[in-house]
Amino acid sequence: MQVGFVGLGALGQPLALNLVAAGHTAACWARRPEQMRPLLDAGATACTSAADVAAHAEVVVTCVADATDLEQVVLGRDGIADGAAPGTTLVDHGTGSPTVARVIASALAAVGVHMLDAPVSGSAADARARQLVVMVGGEADVFERMRPVLGCSATHVRRVGESGAGQVARACDQIASNVMLEAVAEALHLAARSGLDPARVRDALAGGYAWSRMLERHAGSMLEGRHSGGCHARLHAKDLNHVLHSAHALGLALPLTALVTQHFNALVGSGDGERDGAALVTVLQRMGRA
Amino acid sequence: MNVGLIGAGAMGAPMARRLLAAGHALHVWARRPETVAPLVAAGAVAHPTAAAVGAAAAVVFTVVTAGRDVVAVTLGDTGLVHGLARGSVVVDCSTIDPDTARDVADRLAAHGIAFLDAPVSGGSPGAEAGTLSMMVGGDADALARVRPLLDVVAATIVHIGPSGAGQTAKACNQLVLTVAIAGIAEAMALAEASGVDLDAVVDVLSHGLSASRMLDVFGRKMAAGRFDAGVDVRLHHKDAQIVIDCAAAARAPVPAAALASQAYAALDGRSGRRRDSAAVLELLRDLRRADAD
């Protein structure tokens, strides 16, 4: 297929490279041209704008920072909507807002362009290893047609409902995983402050009901004080604040999410915004320090 | 003097009555004319647009709900900016986020109009009595010019700093009281679950280190089981979100405020009649009731 890319950041780049490796023909554009380099080296064509990318593609894949950026590259000046022919499909892999996804989908539907909100769960390393989880919102037949694109970097691809549903599922994913991460941090903190070897406690937990992917992935880094390599704390803070805004609009209480968000906020405020989620344990350590 | 007021709600209406009583010529506008009918009956002049209020007055108070309402009445198609002369002053008593306040101030400054963010604390009773506490952000000269008018509605007026600083101070104020209400509700729930008389607890607490205005107001409402609209819980929910947004912008963690805010979110999302924030106690009761839905 003719695939176009907009948004070649930490996550977008491996997603795009996997599609090229799978034999799709690629065109791309990035605000910072140097971000296109690896993809151009892999044989992709450089374009002059998001609209230009859309004009060269049957499928446009976006992976930008947030909902505001997405609106800009799709509906803004020289955006995807300006260049896309009727019948084109937009697949958005970014984490954003369900409301904005629905607004964009209906704006595009008016000009005959399909859209799937398809945010992913997993890191850049997971993307390189093709081990992401993709949660998709949009029409079922569009989803079926896009399977070859959606499955390129993923072990699990699931359509959860109509437009916006993928972003709702992603918000649920963030709630559950970040609350879990805080729980792992608190458990290890208690173990360490009680004079136990927290690594042994970690191993014991991993064999029982407290096992989780977050324990598996982050407990080791928490114990070793290695807090880099994963998704930045400031991005966790930003995404969770967006989740809380959605909950605010619904009149919905998410008490633990609200609390974890503040611990990420503390990390950002202490200058640790570029460390990853495992740094949550340092917030607890600081609370106990004189 | 000719004074304008937009937003004759629970706070705006008593402020308007005080300005009339002080002998000022009051100009008003509301989206729904029936809102200002009682003020017109008391001598105020109703106008067809906010711009027309601006054309009739050199100082205009705005007392609306959300940041977007402030933007609409000041900068919208028929907003104040289209009527106010250079050198006039807008005093915004709404509780909104500091960023919006700074933005509106900048955009009005381009037209030679001063904008003060001047949120108030003290509720409708404070507005009736003219004893509000007002925290002001913006130009000190503009504040000095309108100060005699502010004295009509507020007993305490503090210039906090430049534009937005008043709203930041109000966010701090709302942080304290939203957390306080949640704490008082938990104390009441504990007393109730332990079979202790709530009135007695409120009485004794109010003489000790728990003494606070919030205990006086909300502790008594909770003890009396009065959960009907006094302070609409939706307003505290809105304010709590402003606190969270300010905290994110300042990168300052506010864990207690974040947790408390979720109680207001839960109440706001409930169907049925409007509730006062004292209903946080109801929420806690429902948490220990097996058949709550």
Side-chain angles (χ1 to χ4, degrees), chain B residues 71-169:
Chain B
V71 173
V73 301
T74 53
L75 299 160
D77 288 343
T78 56
L80 287 168
V81 70
H82 302 292
L84 286 169
R86 296 183 78 82
S88 47
V89 182
V90 176
V91 181
D92 179 36
C93 299
S94 322
T95 293
I96 64 171
D97 64 289
D99 282 344
T100 302
R102 276 187 285 269
D103 186 41
V104 172
D106 285 348
R107 289 158 71 183
L108 288 178
H111 298 270
I113 300 162
F115 178 88
L116 299 173
D117 48 301
V120 293
S121 181
S124 302
E128 303 276 358
T131 57
L132 293 170
S133 172
M134 184 178 274
M135 31 220 124
V136 185
D139 182 56
D141 291 339
L143 171 57
R145 271 184 282 148
V146 299
R147 189 140 193 152
L149 281 173
L150 304 188
D151 284 332
V152 175
V153 296
T156 307
I157 300 165
V158 182
H159 185 221
I160 310 287
S163 265
Q167 293 296 354
T168 301

Side-chain angles (χ1 to χ4, degrees), chain A residues 245 248 251-254 262 265 269, chain B residues 237 245 247 251-252 254 262 265 269:
Chain A
H245 270 272
H248 180 257
L252 196 66
L254 303 174
Q262 292 309 314
N265 198 16
Chain B
H237 183 209
D245 288 342
R251 303 170 168 196
V254 291
Q262 300 308 301

Side-chain angles (χ1 to χ4, degrees), chain B residues 188 197-208 210-211 215-216 219-220 223:
Chain B
M188 294 298 107
D197 181 67
L198 299 190
D199 277 315
V201 172
V202 172
D203 274 341
V204 71
L205 261 52
S206 67
H207 292 100
S210 296
L215 181 66
D216 289 344
R220 297 210 181 276

